[in-house]
Amino acid sequence: MVGKKSGRALLREEGLARTDNNLDLTTWPVVNMINQKNYYTEFLKRDDQFLAYRAPAEEERNRMVREARDKDRALAQRTPTEGAAYLDEGTLDEAEAAITPREDYTSKLIVLHVGSQNLRIGLGSDALPKTVPMVIARKWKENESEEGGGEPSPKRLKVDGVVPAEAYPEKWFGEDFANQYQTMCSELRTRMRTNKRRVLPNSKELVINFNRRTPPDIISEHNDIDRIEWTELPLNSSKAPEYFTGQEALRIPETSSPRYKLFWPIHNGTFNESDYTNRNQLYHDISKIFEEAFRTQLGITKPKELANYKCVFIIPDLYERIYVTTMLDILIRDLGVGKVCLQQESLSATFGAGYSSACVVDIGAQKTSICCVDEGMCIEESRINLKMGGSDVTETFIKMMLFDHFPYSDMNLKRRYDFLLAEELKQKHCSMDEGYVTVQTLEFHLRAFGQDTRRYQFKTYDETMLAPMGFFKPSIFDHSSKLEDRRKVVPRSVDLYDGAPNDPVSTAQVAVIEAAGGKSATVNGTQESTNSLAATSTPARSQQLNLLNRLNDMEGTPRSSVAGSPAPEGTPNPDRDTPGMGENDQPLVFRDPVLEKTKLAEERDKVLPIMPLDNAILESLAQGARGEDRKLRDFFGGIMLIGGGSKTPGLGAFLETRLRELRPFYGKEILVGPPPREFDPQVVIWKGGSVFGRLSSSGNDSWISKGEYDILGSRLLSNKCMFAW
């Protein structure tokens, strides 16, 4: 009888015993159990964890601690003697006032408003800003009037290769301009007869005959009491300064030795890429203009002093990101300004005028911006940027007068003294009041370097009104060079992650571009012609735009067809020969959204945004009201004209009449007016920036300091801007 075996022996004999050779069963990493106490976090979930919010709070806390220490030190230094038990209340107040004075924000606050033609600059304590021409003159081989073979501006067209003689100025600007000019003259005569105005039939002949036969009077220089002080240059040309800025640059003689050429860094509200071939040179010129303005206008002679100053920089409503980031980089890194705050033009205008809501129409030198402001915020979809302004009126005014045999037929806007003369004539004589459309005898003095003063007499009739009428008929303006070299020097701003264009675009601006491109728009789901776009898009009868269709139809680029081109005969068709695919089945087409956005942005850049001013205002109001009739009526009653171009007499009343003709349902509500309190329309935006900058720093989180900017750069703007960046 075999003895009974133990269980351990059976496992060993049967091979069922477990053996361990210390080898892992798998090479896959083992994930340990999560610690239940640490799996929840608040990282970047509170505002105080962001540098943009934390740094100002820490700065304010340090300021309060510093003021408390100064107060304690003042009290300790003024401790009474042993005979006095306490300080009376008056002595305590005097100590606090003497030792802890309040920081004077206004004397250390700079307000900058950059335009295409002028720079408005001043301190927060100033009542009005200083105006500096936004120009720099640099040493060059030839001046701007000698470039291109000395071709004048306005450009004279050649007939059979030759410019027509001075006896035929009506042929200088082509048949298109002549036809439009004659049409505008006929329309004005008809309008004046309708309004019971007296119209003489031979007014044009009187003007032309007088201008033809009136020679100038010569005045010697010592008899001219208003002679010009020209910019003096050293006799040794090698010691001449490398550049001049502001008014000094405009008063450099044309025949100076060495030659100087004028550069205007800002063109049509953005960077001037047609006169520059180097981006660094463009940025350097802007920096030099700012630096000289700080020195000459504000008395800041040492660059290190700018670290103690704050700056409110006013940007366009419909801005380009590369423009904003570049200007911010110039102010903080190149010039060393301590803190910078960004504010939009229309919002600043409402601050300056004291309005809570308004439709701001800013007519500048080379651009016109329209935006609806409601309760301290610019309505994004109502922003419009038109590339026309007062300089177009100046050029058209000169063309019309030359067309009518202006006695100074050699006028050239590329010459500095002629440019200043043309601006003076426009400001003095242009008007939108029909009562001034009569035959008038006027005069001006032509002062050129090294020449005797010439006194001209001339007559005008309707040119003074038809030139600013171009705001309502922009085809009379010359737009041929406004898109030259676009995106040649300064690239388009793109998204950091996917590389798609990220410049802001409003629905109203898309409508303007679509109308300027000659395409049809979708209104309430139906196709409308371009001429009736602005007239039908305003909700006069509570109409609302189909925004989805507009974005798809108007904003979208032409897509490639999903149906392929027909194959040659005899070529096998895989779709037809493949079993299981029907005749209507189409292959899938994969689209790149970044590529489509890039093409869309390129198509927009090819179209110049131009629209009659009244239609553009109606388009902006339609998007600003968002279909609410009450809000639309409020905006109609608060249309504010600002900017240098709005100073044309009678422009507000004429615009109000045009809007009432287009919107008779809102005739009583429509009101177009200048800024209140007899403000100069040119400085309202600057004044609003000054008011905004005076707010307490503790309640204003939009200041960008140099330390924050050095760490985060332009990424800081998404947390610092008061508008959607």
Side-chain angles (χ1 to χ4, degrees):
M1 181 177 179
V2 180
K4 184 178 179 181
K5 296 182 179 180
S6 64
R8 184 176 299 175
L10 289 174
L11 290 175
R12 185 173 56 254
E13 292 179 1
E14 298 294 335
L16 299 178
R18 182 176 181 270
T19 59
D20 191 359
N21 53 6
N22 294 326
L23 295 178
D24 294 334
L25 299 178
T26 178
T27 59
W28 192 264
V30 179
V31 179
N32 297 324
M33 295 293 293
I34 188 172
N35 190 338
Q36 296 293 322
K37 296 185 294 183
N38 299 331
Y39 73 92
Y40 177 75
T41 180
E42 293 183 352
F43 180 65
L44 295 183
K45 289 186 178 181
R46 296 196 309 269
D47 288 345
D48 57 1
Q49 294 173 336
F50 288 89
L51 178 65
Y53 296 97
R54 189 175 68 249
E58 293 177 355
E59 182 180 353
E60 180 66 18
R61 185 165 54 252
N62 294 336
R63 185 187 65 83
M64 295 175 63
V65 171
R66 185 170 60 253
E67 290 181 356
R69 289 176 179 173
D70 293 341
K71 183 192 296 185
D72 294 341
R73 186 179 300 110
L75 294 176
Q77 292 175 355
R78 290 173 176 261
T79 302
T81 58
E82 296 180 357
Y86 59 89
L87 284 172
D88 62 319
E89 186 176 354
T91 306
L92 181 61
D93 293 340
E94 291 178 2
E96 292 182 2
I99 304 302
T100 61
R102 292 183 174 225
E103 183 181 359
D104 189 4
Y105 295 109
T106 57
S107 62
K108 296 294 183 179
L109 174 67
I110 301 174
V111 184
L112 277 178
H113 181 208
V114 179
S116 302
Q117 189 166 312
N118 291 313
L119 167 66
R120 316 282 179 192
I121 183 173
L123 295 175
S125 56
D126 297 337
L128 295 174
K130 283 86 173 177
T131 301
V132 181
M134 190 68 188
V135 63
I136 184 171
R138 289 192 170 276
K139 285 184 179 180
W140 214 254
K141 56 183 179 181
E142 54 186 2
N143 59 44
E144 60 276 6
S145 63
E146 297 172 345
E147 287 187 331
E151 184 178 22
S153 174
K155 183 179 180 181
R156 277 73 159 171
L157 300 180
K158 296 182 179 180
V159 179
D160 298 331
V162 180
V163 177
E166 293 185 3
Y168 304 98
E170 59 272 3
K171 298 181 180 179
W172 283 354
F173 309 111
E175 295 183 1
D176 187 25
F177 177 81
N179 293 336
Q180 291 193 63
Y181 184 28
Q182 298 297 336
T183 302
M184 293 178 69
C185 292
S186 301
E187 292 176 353
L188 180 59
R189 285 197 298 268
T190 304
R191 184 184 183 90
M192 292 179 65
R193 289 193 182 100
T194 304
N195 296 334
K196 308 301 181 182
R197 301 276 185 182
R198 185 182 178 185
V199 179
L200 297 177
N202 61 339
S203 300
K204 279 290 185 184
E205 289 76 9
L206 292 175
V207 171
I208 293 175
N209 293 333
F210 182 87
N211 292 340
R212 274 178 176 172
R213 56 180 173 81
T214 305
D217 298 332
I218 306 300
I219 303 175
S220 58
E221 185 177 359
H222 63 274
N223 290 329
D224 186 8
I225 60 175
D226 295 326
R227 57 181 176 270
I228 296 175
E229 297 294 335
W230 301 93
T231 302
E232 296 183 1
L233 298 177
L235 298 178
N236 188 354
S237 59
S238 61
K239 296 182 179 180
E242 289 295 327
Y243 64 88
F244 289 92
T245 63
Q247 197 66 31
E248 289 185 345
L250 294 177
R251 290 306 185 186
I252 298 177
E254 303 285 335
T255 57
S256 63
S257 178
R259 289 287 195 272
Y260 283 86
K261 180 185 175 182
L262 297 184
F263 289 91
W264 302 83
I266 306 298
H267 183 64
N268 290 328
T270 185
F271 292 127
N272 183 1
E273 300 180 72
S274 58
D275 293 340
Y276 288 88
T277 57
N278 188 353
R279 192 192 319 171
N280 294 331
Q281 186 64 45
L282 174 62
Y283 300 163
H284 183 68
D285 284 357
I286 297 175
S287 178
K288 286 299 179 183
I289 293 175
F290 288 171
E291 184 178 350
E292 289 297 317
F294 292 156
R295 183 180 63 84
T296 59
Q297 305 299 325
L298 305 182
I300 305 175
T301 57
K302 298 179 180 179
K304 293 183 179 180
E305 295 179 4
L306 288 173
N308 301 323
Y309 283 81
K310 295 181 179 180
C311 177
V312 176
F313 187 78
I314 302 172
I315 64 173
D317 303 321
L318 198 60
Y319 53 85
E320 293 184 0
R321 286 174 178 258
I322 192 69
Y323 172 83
V324 177
T325 55
T326 300
M327 289 296 189
L328 188 61
D329 198 73
I330 290 174
L331 290 172
I332 292 182
R333 290 183 176 168
D334 292 355
L335 300 178
V337 179
K339 289 185 178 181
V340 178
C341 175
L342 303 176
Q343 190 179 21
Q344 292 173 294
E345 288 178 341
S346 294
L347 180 60
S348 181
T350 57
F351 269 93
Y355 290 165
S356 60
S357 62
C359 177
V360 181
V361 182
D362 180 15
I363 305 176
Q366 297 180 7
K367 75 172 180 65
T368 299
S369 61
I370 308 169
C371 180
C372 294
V373 181
D374 186 24
E375 300 297 337
M377 291 294 292
C378 292
I379 301 178
E380 296 181 6
E381 299 302 330
S382 68
R383 296 175 295 177
I384 289 179
N385 192 318
L386 304 178
K387 301 303 182 183
M388 63 179 183
S391 60
D392 295 300
V393 176
T394 303
E395 182 180 2
T396 306
F397 181 51
I398 298 302
K399 289 172 70 174
M400 289 180 176
M401 290 199 299
L402 290 173
F403 189 91
D404 293 337
H405 296 257
F406 188 56
Y408 180 37
S409 59
D410 194 32
M411 176 167 278
N412 181 6
L413 296 182
K414 290 183 179 180
R415 286 198 291 256
R416 296 152 199 171
Y417 57 87
D418 281 351
F419 168 75
L420 296 176
L421 174 62
E423 287 288 331
E424 180 184 354
L425 291 176
K426 179 195 71 173
Q427 295 173 7
K428 282 185 176 180
H429 306 308
C430 283
S431 174
M432 294 289 289
D433 190 353
E434 294 179 0
Y436 289 95
V437 182
T438 57
V439 178
Q440 305 179 63
T441 303
L442 307 172
E443 66 176 27
F444 67 91
H445 293 77
L446 177 64
R447 298 177 175 90
F449 180 77
Q451 303 178 18
D452 290 333
T453 301
R454 284 170 282 176
R455 174 178 172 270
Y456 284 89
Q457 282 190 329
F458 66 101
K459 284 190 175 183
T460 63
Y461 176 52
D462 55 3
E463 304 93 333
T464 56
M465 183 172 180
L466 293 181
M469 186 78 76
F471 287 131
F472 305 92
K473 191 176 182 181
S475 59
I476 195 69
F477 294 153
D478 183 14
H479 308 298
S480 58
S481 61
K482 293 184 178 180
L483 289 179
E484 281 186 0
D485 302 321
R486 182 70 170 145
R487 306 295 183 190
K488 182 191 71 172
V489 177
V490 181
R492 181 186 294 105
S493 175
V494 296
D495 189 80
L496 182 63
Y497 298 101
D498 59 4
N502 59 353
D503 282 331
V505 178
S506 66
T507 308
Q509 184 73 2
V510 170
V512 172
I513 295 175
E514 196 67 28
K519 298 179 182 179
S520 59
T522 304
V523 181
N524 286 337
T526 60
Q527 294 294 325
E528 299 287 344
S529 62
T530 332
N531 297 331
S532 62
L533 169 64
T536 56
S537 58
T538 306
R541 300 179 181 86
S542 300
Q543 294 180 353
Q544 297 184 15
L545 293 175
N546 190 335
L547 299 182
L548 181 59
N549 289 341
R550 167 169 287 181
L551 292 176
N552 291 338
D553 299 338
M554 298 188 347
E555 191 175 352
T557 56
R559 301 180 184 275
S560 58
S561 175
V562 294
S565 57
E569 294 183 2
T571 305
N573 189 345
D575 296 341
R576 182 183 58 196
D577 299 339
T578 303
M581 294 189 64
E583 296 180 356
N584 296 329
D585 293 340
Q586 297 177 349
L588 296 176
V589 177
F590 297 96
R591 298 185 178 93
D592 186 359
V594 176
L595 180 60
E596 290 186 357
K597 290 181 180 179
T598 304
K599 289 182 178 179
L600 179 60
E602 292 176 353
E603 292 296 325
R604 288 201 197 102
D605 288 343
K606 295 178 182 178
V607 179
L608 186 68
I610 291 295
M611 178 182 277
L613 183 60
D614 49 355
N615 291 344
I617 292 175
L618 293 178
E619 183 65 39
S620 177
L621 291 172
Q623 303 302 330
R626 300 187 184 95
E628 298 182 18
D629 188 70
R630 181 189 59 80
K631 186 173 292 186
L632 180 63
R633 294 178 184 273
D634 293 341
F635 285 145
F636 266 129
I639 300 176
M640 181 171 60
L641 278 179
I642 61 174
S646 67
K647 298 179 70 174
T648 305
L651 177 59
F654 185 86
L655 176 60
E656 187 175 310
T657 303
R658 291 291 293 260
L659 293 175
R660 287 175 177 172
E661 291 175 357
L662 293 175
R663 287 292 171 272
F665 301 98
Y666 299 98
K668 296 181 180 180
E669 287 84 1
I670 294 176
L671 180 61
V672 179
R677 300 190 297 274
E678 297 182 356
F679 255 148
D680 185 356
Q682 294 178 297
V683 303
V684 175
I685 294 179
W686 182 92
K687 192 65 177 178
S690 176
V691 172
F692 178 79
R694 294 180 187 181
L695 300 177
S696 174
S697 61
S698 60
N700 187 356
D701 297 331
S702 58
W703 292 104
I704 302 173
S705 65
K706 188 177 186 303
E708 297 170 325
Y709 190 76
D710 289 339
I711 297 175
L712 295 179
S714 59
R715 291 174 295 173
L716 198 66
L717 294 175
S718 59
N719 295 321
K720 288 291 187 178
C721 292
M722 300 179 64
F723 47 88
W725 174 256

